[in-house]
Amino acid sequence: MNCLPGDTDVLLSHGRRRRIEGLWDRFEDESAVVATGDDAVASDIRLFTMSKPETVYEVETETGDTVEATADHPFKTADGMVELDDLEEGDDVYLHPFEGLQDETPPEFTLLDESDFEEENPQLVRALKDRDLLPLKSTDEAFNRLLKLVGYHTGDGSFSGNQSWFYGEPKDLERIQEDIAAIGFDPSRIYERERNHEIDGNSFERVEYSARSTAKSFRKLLVKLGAPEGRKVESGFTAPEYLDRLADWQKALYLSTFFGAEMSAPDTVSAKNFYAPSVSHNRLVAERDAGETFLRDLMTHLNDLGISTNALEEVERTETTVGETVRFRFGISTDPDNLIRFFTTVGYRYAREKQKEAIAATQYLKHKERVIDARARIAEEARALADGGAAPKEIKKRFDINDRFVERSLYGERDGRPRPPADFPDYDEYRDETIVQDDLSVTAEVVDIAERGEKPVYDIGVTHDAHNFVADGFVVSNCGVRMVKTNLTYEDVRGRERELVDALFDAVPTGLGGGGIVQADSDTMGDILEYGVEWAVENGYGIESDLDHCEDEGRRPDARPEFVSQKAKDRGRNQVGSLGSGNHFLEVQRVTDTYREEVADAFGLAEDQIVVLIHCGSRGLGHQTCTDYLRDIEQEHADLLESLPDTELAAAPAGSELAYEYYGAMCAAINFAWVNRQLIMHRTREVFGDVFDADPVDDLEMELLYDVAHNIAKRETHDVGGEDRELFVHRKGATRAFPAGHEEVPAAYRDVGQPVIIPGSMGAGSYVLRGGENSMDVSFGSTAHGAGRLMSRTAAKQEYWGGDVQDDLEEQNEIYVKAESGATIAEEAPGVYKDVDEVVRVSDALGIGDKVARTYPVCNIKG
């Protein structure tokens, strides 16, 4: 995907918005962790390459949204993806108005530990520990989900014994179910019952929907985090104190779900103006102060997020069966910019219809404000012309606007900003013609496409935080692939695909956040970072031959764990042996074709053979390492950054102390990633042993073919201009491909060349190559590391529905896929990738990576 430097947004998990080294892109917030859920996948943008300057164009919509892009950049329309060159003024394009809040790493502190549950049954404590919920820290992914659950439950939940009930619409309850399940508890089905109500003497019936968790430990967790017990009107609860210590985007999680339950939906007070969305809250008079404090706390947190509120009102007092109650109310200030900020940064979670209305209101307000701004500019210009001596008649001819508007502007008949024109649509008219999609995208009319000259264009990729890189600057993650051979044939697994994919999905941790095969203490983390796969084999997670078939024998000797920050180590501590998410996967494949028989024999590959491909990287540890050193370089080498043609080329000068430290930290991250894949392979061997009731090594001959790294930098010696030079070779979107005879190719393959593994899509298959004889001369011993994307993840989720992709793969291709969410499957749909056959054909033709074998998916698990 092509991108220009500019002020666009990228949404990460939970609606955070992050600037990534000056490059921005847009993700919708609402559908990435689960197909209809409330979070965007935790992703990053990392620079690929900078091309020569190209002609760029600015696209502007009726809502005032603008973006710069090249002529070949695709935009989603109602007719699918359309390149900018084929767009015209008057066409509609899809926008994602929800922006989220600026990403920031939360201050790390412990919210709950065992001491908070001393009076509870040890079995309850064990249940929380088994789910990695004790100790619970502010930086834990599970805590972010809990923030949403606590916020919503405070508004529209209740406790009954050990049961935690949530009430809402079925689609919203499904998202709540998914978050409950994601933190390790079993949600109930959605219940339905008719309820009789009476308000102001009027009786009516409505259907009430609810879902619950029956886990006592889950109930206790919600209570400890601030969900009120008992009847809320009688309670003395206030907003959780820990909100003051959180990142802004975390505060918004709590606020948005409480507002999803309790705040009124956007609505108009007149044809073109909106009411203040408001929250009402009742307490017994005896708990009046607590009720007032609770709402004032919410107002303060909104103010901290740059959102203005109206004054808190005591609306009324009412006699009830439990005593006299007082009702408080506050609203969101109706200044258009303020409403837009609220709707696009906080909004209503677990309340999809309210959120859709907020998106429609946002677009209406933006369109209206753009029109008013244009009229205000005309009024100002008209007055300026009059001051310069122009006659009113002449001024009226200058503008395409009614004469009365010009007259009122000239003769001071208007106070403040002008109103929209009489023919501007009422909100109800606009709403009747505006459809907000389930992913919260909405169309807007293109009003201008203007050439903006030539600018550098960046090819960028959207990745999970375990798969990131800054080209020509920092290289962090050893994202790579390894292939495991077996002596099974396709017939051996036919009919057992579902059993196999379910077992692998259960055994291999996937998805965002924590959860790994090994929970590493400080000493273990140090050994992993220093010794790599050697540590894994010594601790029973592999066999000696694994070392012989891994790039660098699975260990970078230049690793310096002491240069990896404690924060990075803490992030990796519970992710050792986990796939993560994004484009990372574990795939069982069958070999369909072999091309160079002598090389295939040396690799141990034959047609119809079952192999396993594992693709993942250094998870949060690599991401944090990159973040740490990026900040350091910006501070220490600001003068160098200023001299670069673009700050995206930021680099620590070779030979500097910072470069030395970073290289040592990066090599440690590489070792971590190798161990990560090694442990996943170990767990895969165990699963195959269980499913096929055989010893995975002795009976199934599950041996590592090769582990080759992607997206790393290595110090290597290459011939440059006829002399050997030591270089830092950065391979981004690339992988090593050393030819036969090279001393760094493992002895087992030195006669034929290094194995090179090229993943394709989960519907097209992958390739095994060998390093070509021209690779050292043409590409510094490198070739492509995969098929590469045709479509961004955002576009993919707009184009594909995960469930449909999953069904089509099974019914049409006999490929079984299982993932944490439907959105993940949509992001990785076969149609979003380039033709892997063509990618490999080019590599083979250039002699940098020669075809050896082709594989085809049998079953696949993704994060």
Side-chain angles (χ1 to χ4, degrees):
M1 144 177 215
N2 292 334
C3 185
L4 300 156
D7 290 337
T8 324
D9 299 328
V10 56
L11 283 183
L12 307 176
S13 65
H14 312 294
R16 290 176 282 171
R17 188 177 67 215
R18 168 171 286 178
R19 179 173 181 170
I20 304 298
E21 285 89 52
L23 292 180
W24 302 66
D25 197 9
R26 188 176 298 276
F27 276 71
E28 80 271 22
D29 172 49
E30 295 290 322
S31 62
V33 169
V34 289
T36 55
D38 288 88
D39 297 331
V41 68
S43 295
D44 234 339
I45 291 181
R46 282 295 178 258
L47 180 63
F48 272 47
T49 59
M50 181 180 72
S51 73
K52 63 183 180 181
E54 296 182 39
T55 301
V56 300
Y57 303 83
E58 183 180 72
V59 179
E60 183 178 5
T61 68
E62 62 187 353
T63 52
D65 295 287
T66 61
V67 65
E68 289 186 345
T70 53
D72 60 351
H73 189 82
F75 288 79
K76 185 174 182 183
T77 72
D79 298 322
M81 303 305 295
V82 175
E83 291 186 356
L84 189 156
D85 202 32
D86 294 323
L87 284 178
E88 297 178 353
E89 293 176 12
D91 289 344
D92 287 342
V93 293
Y94 276 96
L95 302 176
H96 287 271
F98 192 90
E99 297 179 355
L101 286 163
Q102 182 68 39
D103 179 51
E104 55 180 315
T105 302
E108 184 170 316
F109 59 92
T110 300
L111 292 124
L112 299 172
D113 58 27
E114 290 187 51
S115 66
D116 294 294
F117 296 86
E118 287 180 345
E119 298 179 2
E120 302 298 334
N121 188 309
Q123 191 172 359
L124 183 148
V125 174
R126 186 162 58 251
L128 294 175
K129 292 180 69 175
D130 288 346
R131 293 171 172 84
D132 292 325
L133 297 172
L134 279 185
L136 183 66
K137 295 186 177 181
S138 57
T139 52
D140 292 343
E141 180 67 23
F143 173 58
N144 298 327
R145 298 182 189 276
L146 284 163
L147 273 170
K148 294 188 291 179
L149 293 168
V150 170
Y152 191 86
H153 193 277
T154 300
D156 211 352
S158 67
F159 295 116
S160 176
N162 291 330
Q163 300 177 43
S164 307
W165 287 91
F166 296 83
Y167 306 94
E169 294 302 310
K171 287 293 185 183
D172 300 319
L173 290 172
E174 287 176 11
R175 299 181 192 106
I176 290 172
Q177 288 175 315
E178 288 158 353
D179 276 338
I180 293 173
I183 60 175
F185 295 97
D186 295 324
S188 72
R189 64 181 176 86
I190 295 175
Y191 299 97
E192 174 183 342
R193 67 170 177 169
E194 292 186 358
R195 298 291 302 271
N196 295 316
H197 296 269
E198 184 173 325
I199 297 179
D200 297 331
N202 297 315
S203 299
F204 62 94
E205 291 184 353
R206 74 177 183 89
V207 178
E208 178 185 83
Y209 299 95
S210 59
R212 65 177 179 171
S213 166
T214 59
K216 182 179 180 181
S217 52
F218 178 70
R219 180 192 189 281
K220 280 292 181 185
L221 195 57
L222 293 186
V223 171
K224 293 289 187 182
L225 289 173
E229 293 187 279
R231 297 187 63 179
K232 294 166 190 168
V233 71
E234 302 173 3
S235 175
F237 75 91
T238 57
E241 293 182 0
Y242 55 74
L243 290 180
D244 291 327
R245 303 173 64 187
L246 300 180
D248 284 349
W249 61 266
Q250 291 179 307
K251 295 178 186 177
L253 295 183
Y254 177 90
L255 295 172
S256 62
T257 50
F258 179 77
F259 296 151
E262 292 296 302
M263 182 173 277
S264 61
D267 196 8
T268 50
V269 65
S270 64
K272 296 181 175 69
N273 298 306
F274 284 83
Y275 282 111
S278 61
V279 169
S280 295
H281 187 71
N282 296 322
R283 294 287 179 100
L284 288 178
V285 170
E287 300 297 341
R288 180 193 181 285
D289 290 347
E292 181 178 353
T293 298
F294 175 62
L295 287 196
R296 289 198 183 280
D297 284 346
L298 300 187
M299 294 166 66
T300 298
H301 291 308
L302 282 169
N303 298 161
D304 290 343
L305 301 181
I307 297 165
S308 299
T309 58
N310 298 329
L312 182 66
E313 302 175 283
E314 184 177 314
V315 181
E316 63 182 1
R317 296 195 177 206
T318 307
E319 284 293 338
T320 69
T321 56
V322 295
E324 185 181 10
T325 63
V326 58
R327 181 157 68 98
F328 295 100
R329 181 176 65 199
F330 77 84
I332 305 298
S333 173
T334 56
D335 174 78
D337 288 341
N338 190 65
L339 284 178
I340 291 169
R341 179 164 177 80
F342 173 72
F343 292 149
T344 60
T345 61
V346 178
Y348 310 85
R349 291 177 188 269
Y350 295 154
R352 182 50 59 95
E353 291 308 312
K354 287 183 185 179
Q355 189 74 320
K356 283 185 174 182
E357 202 62 45
I359 294 302
T362 294
Q363 294 304 92
Y364 181 81
L365 287 168
K366 286 162 67 174
H367 185 192
K368 178 180 156 187
E369 289 303 294
R370 180 178 178 276
V371 169
I372 290 174
D373 285 344
R375 289 165 69 83
R377 285 194 298 271
I378 290 173
E380 185 177 349
E381 290 177 24
R383 286 191 291 269
L385 288 169
D387 291 343
K393 185 176 181 179
E394 179 185 343
I395 295 172
K396 292 174 184 177
K397 292 179 180 179
R398 295 279 296 268
F399 301 105
D400 183 18
I401 201 166
N402 69 73
D403 291 350
R404 178 60 181 150
F405 179 85
V406 175
E407 290 171 0
R408 294 188 65 194
S409 301
L410 294 179
Y411 303 128
E413 297 179 23
R414 179 185 301 106
D415 293 326
R417 300 180 74 218
R419 292 192 295 269
D423 61 353
F424 189 81
D426 293 346
Y427 181 67
D428 287 343
E429 296 174 53
Y430 171 83
R431 194 67 182 91
D432 287 342
E433 298 177 359
T434 302
I435 298 175
V436 181
Q437 304 294 319
D438 282 342
D439 66 359
L440 301 185
S441 63
V442 63
T443 57
E445 182 182 329
V446 174
V447 296
D448 189 45
I449 302 174
E451 185 175 332
R452 291 290 181 252
E454 290 195 345
K455 297 184 180 183
V457 177
Y458 296 86
D459 291 321
I460 61 174
V462 182
T463 64
H464 179 259
D465 60 69
H467 184 183
N468 46 47
F469 183 97
V470 181
D472 296 320
F474 297 101
V475 190
V476 172
S477 300
N478 167 2
C479 172
V481 292
R482 64 170 51 198
M483 181 171 282
V484 187
K485 300 178 291 183
T486 77
N487 61 12
L488 296 168
T489 65
Y490 185 40
E491 284 304 310
D492 293 326
V493 300
R494 291 291 295 272
R496 308 188 72 172
E497 296 96 336
R498 191 172 297 283
E499 176 189 5
L500 190 57
V501 77
D502 286 344
L504 287 168
F505 192 80
D506 289 342
V508 177
T510 60
L512 303 175
I517 292 171
V518 170
Q519 303 300 305
D521 58 23
S522 179
D523 291 341
T524 300
M525 277 298 294
D527 289 344
I528 289 171
L529 294 172
E530 183 169 359
Y531 298 109
V533 180
E534 288 181 13
W535 170 88
V537 172
E538 289 176 2
N539 284 273
Y541 298 107
I543 56 180
E544 285 295 326
S545 63
D546 293 341
L547 298 171
D548 298 332
H549 297 146
C550 190
E551 182 176 345
D552 295 333
E553 296 184 337
R555 180 189 179 191
R556 290 296 300 153
D558 295 328
R560 295 293 181 270
E562 65 270 25
F563 296 146
V564 177
S565 71
Q566 189 59 48
K567 188 170 187 179
K569 292 174 183 176
D570 288 343
R571 290 189 66 179
R573 194 184 305 277
N574 66 339
Q575 294 182 337
V576 189
S578 60
L579 275 179
S581 62
N583 66 345
H584 297 146
F585 62 84
L586 185 155
E587 188 168 88
V588 179
Q589 305 174 329
R590 59 188 170 101
V591 179
T592 58
D593 303 276
T594 56
Y595 303 99
R596 291 172 168 82
E597 293 302 326
E598 74 285 358
V599 183
D601 288 344
F603 288 177
L605 297 175
E607 291 184 9
D608 212 37
Q609 178 183 3
I610 293 295
V611 296
V612 181
L613 195 62
I614 298 167
H615 175 216
C616 63
S618 58
R619 300 299 321 273
L621 179 139
H623 178 270
Q624 188 62 51
T625 302
C626 178
T627 300
D628 292 340
Y629 280 92
L630 180 61
R631 289 171 180 164
D632 289 346
I633 198 171
E634 288 174 342
Q635 294 174 5
E636 190 164 330
H637 294 292
D639 55 340
L640 173 62
L641 299 187
E642 291 177 1
S643 69
L644 295 172
D646 195 281
T647 56
E648 308 315 318
L649 304 177
S656 69
E657 183 177 356
L658 186 56
Y660 170 75
E661 292 179 359
Y662 176 74
Y663 188 70
M666 185 205 68
C667 289
I670 293 172
N671 287 344
F672 180 94
W674 272 323
V675 171
N676 193 32
R677 292 194 289 276
Q678 180 72 26
L679 294 188
I680 292 172
M681 182 177 74
H682 173 75
R683 187 61 63 84
T684 301
R685 282 170 168 162
E686 292 180 331
V687 168
F688 269 73
D690 291 341
V691 170
F692 295 99
D693 193 22
D695 185 279
V697 176
D698 294 337
D699 298 329
L700 302 181
E701 299 178 3
M702 295 187 72
E703 295 185 352
L704 177 62
L705 169 64
Y706 197 58
D707 183 306
V708 60
H710 298 167
N711 300 340
I712 65 171
K714 297 179 73 174
R715 187 161 42 208
E716 297 174 354
T717 300
H718 289 268
D719 185 328
V720 180
E723 64 178 71
D724 287 344
R725 292 184 57 188
E726 188 175 72
L727 308 172
F728 286 98
V729 180
H730 295 236
R731 294 187 175 98
K732 170 59 189 174
T735 188
R736 200 177 77 169
F738 283 177
H742 196 288
E743 62 182 6
E744 292 190 42
V745 175
Y749 306 127
R750 197 165 297 158
D751 290 342
V752 293
Q754 173 211 311
V756 180
I757 303 165
I758 309 294
S761 75
M762 59 187 173
S766 303
Y767 278 87
V768 179
L769 314 182
R770 61 101 175 255
E773 63 180 8
N774 296 333
S775 68
M776 302 305 289
D777 296 330
V778 173
S779 57
F780 292 95
S782 309
T783 190
H785 86 328
R789 299 184 72 93
L790 284 170
M791 191 182 298
S792 73
R793 299 186 189 284
T794 300
K797 286 181 288 186
Q798 296 166 357
E799 188 77 15
Y800 297 99
W801 183 252
D804 292 342
V805 174
Q806 190 175 27
D807 292 343
D808 289 347
L809 286 170
E810 181 176 341
E811 294 167 7
Q812 300 175 22
N813 304 86
E814 296 185 334
I815 300 170
Y816 295 79
V817 177
K818 192 161 186 176
E820 286 281 345
S821 72
T824 298
I825 297 175
E827 290 175 358
E828 297 298 307
V832 310
Y833 280 91
K834 296 175 185 175
D835 183 351
V836 70
D837 297 330
E838 178 63 14
V839 171
V840 169
R841 184 196 67 77
V842 172
S843 180
D844 189 85
L846 290 173
I848 60 177
D850 305 330
K851 288 196 299 185
V852 176
R854 197 184 197 284
T855 63
Y856 190 76
V858 174
C859 59
N860 177 300
I861 70 169
K862 302 188 75 67

